[in-house]
Structures are given as structure tokens and as C-alpha cells.
């Protein structure tokens, strides 16, 4: 039995399809990530999986329980740490966890030991009696995650766990997530729009864009599929590139090509032989190359290959606003 399984999941808001025919499964004990820009449908999918939204159609199962038919059973089996910090800054760290423990109906004779365990795990024991208003952003996020662990869920959901944090703090949170995964041997499902985060943490990744899953695989396999090397070309006249693209597609060793305005990205198996031919073609067609580079494939390149554009880091547009509005209603 899978820890998470979705079948043709759809969620629409009026005419906008936030989640469009999404199907995937997550093995028990796996760290699975949804990688995509803000507004791609990541958080909407997670809200369905955590019973905060009902799907328009399709099915989602958590530990074998249907999110629509058995939402109570689903909630008993999951921990959910949302993107926005939910800790009360006027309470101490321990008081926040005590509140979480009572909300999750943890037996009173187990509360203190469980709080001690998670505080030790996230290395906040020394700060537990200080008000959260004195905590850094990284410490607050660690406390948030600790709250999601108290009832020892089978599946932990982390929605953009490091958004808004500096890169140094972000990497510390990654360390704690790996530590939690090893300690509890639990399934972790996370969403992110940070390439490095997905690469560092996830056993497998689903790239999602405009509500649809483009590909699911391990980061290593995704990069291998791209070819040995990535050639990035910036040209001066984007309107004169069609014939150039046609010729580039015919080159030996070239596996795939993507164009984004004046940038052309080639995925090739032998870049040192392809680059001279690129210059020959540009000379023949009178295409001016502004710059050209040869690198090893990254997840950024994988994303471009499947979506045709770089990952966006914007406000998420309509989808994100609907998600935030829904969350406000749920909290009211």
C-alpha cells in the first residue's frame, strides 16, 4: 500500500483549473517533492491531500484512507506544516507545543515526554522557555515542524518549508528534515520552488506546472535524461531564430532544444563537437550570438526541458490568492 496515492485529481476554481488530472503515488518512507513555480498547483494539491480542500473530481488516498470519505482517519495519520508560520509568538516554545499536543488529543501522560523528544530533535531545548517573539525565522520554522511531529504521523506534509529564509538557514532546515526522516522513518511530502532544495532532499520529484505534472523521477535520473551537457545560447535577434532552431535540431548529438525569448538551450551528448557547428550555422544564417556556455545539466535545465521556461518566483497569481483566501476561511 502506498503512503500517498492520487488518481486523476482535479481541482477547479470557476474557469481556472488549479490541479489538472494529477496522478502519482508515494512509497512508504520516501521523501517526495513537488517542484514548480508559485501558482503551479503545488499547495492546492497539498491542501486536498490534507483534507483542507475537496477535489472537484478524482481520488486521493493517504495510508489507504480516502481524503473525501474518511477525512478524520486521514488527519489522524498526517502532520501538516503550512507555508506561513503558525506559532504564537507571545507564548514560549514549550507552550506552543503544549497547545499543539492538546489540539491533537495526545494522552496527558505522554505530552511532556513527546515535547522533550521533539525539542531535543530540533535542538531547541535550551530556548523552550523563551517567548517565540525572540526566535529567529529558522527557529520558528523548526518549532512549526516540531508541532507537526508531536502526534507521530505516518506522513508529514511540508508546504514550502524554507520559503523566505536565507540560504544558510535554509540549509540548516534541510539538515533537520533529513534528521527527522531518519529518526521517525516517515513518509515526507514537500512542495518547493527551490531547485537545490528538491535536489538535496528528495528521493523522487514531480515537476508540476500550470496544474499538470510534467514528469516524475529521481533528480539523478532526470539530469541523466537531459544528456551529458547543456549548451546555452543567447542571440541578438529573437525574430530571426526560427530557421536557426530548425538547423540546430538537425545537428548530431543534440537530444532536445528549448527556446525562451532570446535564450536557446540545447541538451547534447557531445558539446565540444556541437559548439563549432553552432557557430558555423550562425555564420551561414547571419545570426549574431551574444554569448554561449557549456555546463553539466541541473534541475533548472530539467525544468526548462519539460516546461519550456525557467521557474518563476512570483506571487502565484489567481491560484495562490484562492489558496490564501481558503485558508483564512478555514481559520475563521
Amino acid at each position: 500500500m502506498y503512503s500517498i496515492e492520487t488518481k486523476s485529481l482535479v481541482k477547479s476554481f470557476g474557469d481556472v483549473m488549479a490541479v489538472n488530472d494529477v496522478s502519482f503515488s508515494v512509497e512508504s518512507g520516501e521523501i517526495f517533492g513537488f517542484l514548480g513555480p508559485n501558482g503551479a498547483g503545488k499547495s492546492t494539491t497539498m491542501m486536498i491531500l490534507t483534507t483542507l480542500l475537496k477535489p472537484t473530481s478524482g481520488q486521493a488516498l493517504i495510508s489507504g484512507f480516502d481524503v473525501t470519505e474518511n477525512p478524520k482517519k486521514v488527519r489522524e495519520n498526517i502532520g501538516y506544516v503550512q507555508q506561513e508560520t503558525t506559532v504564537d509568538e507571545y507564548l514560549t516554545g514549550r507552550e506552543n507545543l503544549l497547545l499543539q499536543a492538546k489540539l491533537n488529543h495526545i494522552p496527558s501522560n505522554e505530552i511532556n515526554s513527546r515535547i522533550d523528544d521533539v525539542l531535543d530533535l530540533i535542538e531547541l531545548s535550551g530556548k523552550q522557555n523563551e517567548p517565540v517573539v525572540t526566535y529567529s525565522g529558522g527557529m520558528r520554522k523548526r518549532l512549526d515542524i516540531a508541532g507537526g511531529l508531536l502526534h507521530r504521523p505516518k506522513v508529514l506534509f511540508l508546504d514550502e518549508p524554507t520559503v523566505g529564509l536565507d540560504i544558510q538557514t535554509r540549509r540548516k532546515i534541510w539538515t533537520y528534515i533529513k534528521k527527522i526522516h531518519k529518526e521517525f522513518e516517515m513518509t515526507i511530502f514537500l512542495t518547493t520552488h527551490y531547485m537545490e532544495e528538491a535536489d538535496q532532499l528528495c528521493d523522487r520529484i514531480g515537476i508540476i506546472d500550470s496544474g499538470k505534472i510534467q514528469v516524475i523521477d529521481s533528480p539523478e535520473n532526470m539530469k541523466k535524461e537531459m544528456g551529458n551537457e547543456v549548451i546555452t545560447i543567447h542571440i541578438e535577434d529573437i525574430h530571426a531564430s526560427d530557421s536557426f532552431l530548425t538547423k540546430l535540431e538537425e545537428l548530431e548529438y543534440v537530444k532536445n532544444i528549448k527556446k525562451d525569448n532570446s535564450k536557446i538551450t540545447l541538451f547534447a551528448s557531445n558539446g565540444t563537437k556541437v559548439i563549432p557547428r553552432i557557430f558555423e550555422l550562425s555564420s551561414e544564417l547571419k545570426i549574431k550570438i551574444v554569448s554561449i556556455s557549456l555546463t553539466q545539466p541541473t534541475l533548472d535545465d530539467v525544468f526548462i526541458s519539460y516546461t519550456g521556461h525557467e521557474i518563476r518566483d512570483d506571487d502565484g497569481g489567481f491560484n495562490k490568492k484562492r489558496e490564501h483566501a481558503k485558508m483564512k476561511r478555514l481559520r475563521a
Side-chain angles (χ1 to χ4, degrees), residues 178-332:
K178 290 177 181 177
K179 190 177 179 181
I180 289 163
H181 181 248
K182 182 178 180 181
E183 181 82 12
F184 290 93
E185 297 181 346
M186 66 172 58
T187 304
I188 297 178
F189 181 100
L190 65 89
T191 67
T192 183
H193 62 272
Y194 296 127
M195 298 289 182
E196 189 181 1
E197 183 160 280
D199 208 355
Q200 286 287 323
L201 290 176
C202 299
D203 299 310
R204 286 190 306 139
I205 296 168
I207 288 180
I208 184 169
D209 192 44
S210 300
K212 292 186 71 70
I213 292 181
Q214 308 297 321
V215 63
I216 295 176
D217 209 336
S218 69
E220 294 76 16
N221 287 343
M222 284 184 179
K223 287 182 282 190
K224 285 177 183 176
E225 285 296 313
M226 291 299 95
N228 298 329
E229 293 158 322
V230 180
I231 301 168
T232 304
I233 311 165
H234 286 90
I235 60 175
E236 190 172 76
D237 186 0
I238 61 173
H239 302 295
S241 63
D242 289 344
S243 56
F244 189 37
L245 280 173
T246 301
K247 293 293 184 180
L248 290 175
E249 289 170 350
E250 297 171 355
L251 290 179
E252 187 180 3
Y253 304 117
V254 172
K255 292 187 174 184
N256 196 3
I257 296 178
K258 294 293 177 180
K259 179 177 175 293
D260 187 8
N261 294 321
S262 63
K263 184 171 106 173
I264 300 172
T265 306
L266 285 75
F267 303 95
S269 59
N270 196 332
T272 55
K273 290 189 177 181
V274 173
I275 286 177
R277 289 290 295 129
I278 291 173
F279 281 110
E280 288 175 13
L281 289 173
S282 66
S283 178
E284 291 171 11
L285 298 172
K286 294 182 171 46
I287 301 290
K288 184 176 180 181
I289 294 177
V290 178
S291 66
I292 188 168
S293 63
L294 177 66
T295 59
Q296 296 299 310
T298 65
L299 278 183
D300 295 82
D301 301 314
V302 173
F303 190 87
I304 292 170
S305 174
Y306 282 100
T307 67
H309 59 80
E310 293 180 335
I311 201 162
R312 301 178 300 276
D313 189 9
D314 53 29
D315 64 1
F318 180 84
N319 291 346
K320 203 65 177 179
K321 290 174 183 175
R322 288 302 298 261
E323 289 165 14
H324 287 170
K326 180 70 177 178
M327 285 303 297
K328 287 179 181 177
R329 290 197 298 272
L330 289 166
R331 291 174 191 159

Side-chain angles (χ1 to χ4, degrees), residues 93-157:
R94 190 174 190 88
E95 287 169 343
N96 268 281
L97 294 178
L98 181 61
L99 178 60
Q100 283 290 328
K102 290 181 177 180
L103 289 172
N104 282 289
H105 307 291
I106 294 172
S108 57
N109 63 329
E110 296 182 21
I111 288 178
N112 283 328
S113 61
R114 290 203 191 186
I115 290 176
D116 289 340
D117 288 344
V118 295
L119 283 171
D120 183 59
L121 183 67
I122 62 168
E123 299 179 13
L124 280 179
S125 297
K127 295 279 188 179
Q128 63 177 298
N129 295 317
E130 295 181 19
V132 172
V133 71
T134 66
Y135 286 19
S136 67
M139 290 167 65
R140 293 183 188 202
K141 178 54 69 173
R142 280 150 55 191
L143 188 62
D144 250 339
I145 294 172
L149 297 172
L150 280 172
H151 63 296
R152 297 175 181 170
K154 292 181 180 178
V155 183
L156 178 64
F157 288 92

